[in-house]
Amino acid sequence: MKGEDIKDNEVYQILEKIDDNTWNVPVTYKSTMNVPGRIFVSSELMKDLEKETLDQMANVASLPGIQKFSMAMPDAHLGYGFPIGGVAAFDKDEGVISPGGVGFDINCGVRLLRTNLQIEDTRPYINQLVNNLFNKIPSGLGSKSGLKVSDAELDDVFVHGAQWAVDNGYGVKADVEHCEGNGLIEGAEPSQVSKEARKRGRPQLGTLGSGNHFLEVQYVDKIYDEYIASDFGLEEGQVTVSIHCGSRGAGHQICSDHLRELTQAVKKYGIQLPDKQLACAPANSREAQNYFKAMACAANYAWANRQVINHWTREVFENIFGKDIDMNLVYDVAHNVAKFEEHTINGEKKQVYVHRKGATRAFPPEHPELSDDYQQSGQPVLIPGSMGTPSFVLHGTKDSMDISFGSACHGSGRLMSRKHAKKELSGEEIQKELASKGITVKVANPRMISEEAPEAYKSSSEVVDVVHDVGIARKVARLSPVGVIKG
């Protein structure tokens, strides 16, 4: 966009430029703001940025105890409460915890598996592979799993996350070590999960779900950093698999249940809210801690869910390519969580609740929460594309903690609503176009192809370039899709 054009943009007129990819929403934008907003966005991506996203950033900046900035990533767009792509940290004593800063799909996240297969050796089997994965892994709205768990087992899932799956034969020890936080959030309390959430979650463990959730067979088509790629076990031409899903109906119900309690807590504690979708309570209050304990249950369920799907994916590959296939987990990252973390703020170490709503953790080298494998490289940061567009692997940098509380973008970010996409785009035509590019797509519901079409999303390349240029996380590898299953 030329300089004279961007100046006519309503969003541009609101923002204060810090550098080409860093902009502030000034505290004067809304009289209730306690801190500025800060959004990482290029001029090109700004063309599609809604003013309402800035309004949501300003609303978050008005919450008690917020630290430094109300932030948004380059994939930001309108969400519930927080913008999707929103990041905010709240002081443990003076701040709040808000489900609007986490979302309904608690710990929607991504994991990446690398294989010892090369794409040219795999292409002849892609259709078979996609069909077998589709048949093995339940997908679609309300899909149910063949995996049956008792109430007691479900409690164990809520408490132990990915470790529960490994302990029950769905994976290996190294899988847990390569999950963010070892595949769980401490402090989960199953007593805070309602009967309805249990009812919804029990039959859905080991299911992909619908919407933007997917399992994608890919290959590494470009390496940006040979040294870090080697640490991650990635090389050009290598086949990989990405799994993107969350806590299913259990997480949605947990969010709904606790939103009701926290809506009442707003009145109890006399919190002035600019938006009722930001229902919250003081971080150390009973209501906030009850929600946090239930949210941890949903997050842990999501890690167990991805771990089970991970195991079944390995079985499908072994059935086609033989038992000697290598399928190792590179990493698993969470979106849509609040975490209790320590950060240095204005030169002082503080304990805060970091809300990442459609944002990915991006911790730096030598961070104590990273496994030994990634102490030198920094955390793998996984950014999925949208069906026909590339995904990216990045690594957290030494500057990420200061820039964004160790947080990066989580995907491309929607351009069109699902309703608009269904109206404007033909699923049949999109499927043909993807097939012409060598991408096989299998869906439970054909409508999902138009809803989740590449055209419905921002450019994953442009979004990732902003994060890279700002220095939050640096590009390591690009992954191109060859086979996708969706709900």
Side-chain angles (χ1 to χ4, degrees), residues 1 20-21 40-48 73-75 224 383-385 389-390 392 394 409 411-413 415 457-470 475 478:
M1 180 185 285
D20 286 346
N21 294 301
F40 305 102
V41 66
S42 64
S43 297
E44 183 65 26
L45 289 169
M46 196 184 295
K47 290 191 299 185
D48 298 308
M73 294 295 143
D75 53 338
Y224 299 97
I383 310 299
T389 59
F392 291 85
L394 298 87
C409 59
S412 304
L415 277 176
Y457 285 84
K458 300 174 186 180
S459 162
S460 56
S461 300
E462 288 176 10
V463 167
V464 164
D465 281 347
V466 171
V467 169
H468 175 89
D469 291 343
V470 168
K475 293 190 288 187
R478 185 177 67 197

Side-chain angles (χ1 to χ4, degrees), residues 177-178 182 330-331 367-376:
E177 293 169 352
H178 289 157
N182 289 322
V330 176
Y331 209 62
H367 194 284
E369 286 198 29
L370 300 183
S371 65
D372 291 344
D373 308 43
Y374 301 135
Q375 281 294 307
Q376 298 302 311

Side-chain angles (χ1 to χ4, degrees), residues 125-136 316 440 442 485:
Y125 302 95
I126 289 297
N127 287 343
Q128 180 188 357
L129 192 56
V130 169
N131 285 331
N132 288 9
L133 287 166
F134 186 81
N135 292 333
K136 181 75 172 179
V316 169
T440 301
K442 188 91 172 176
I485 70 167

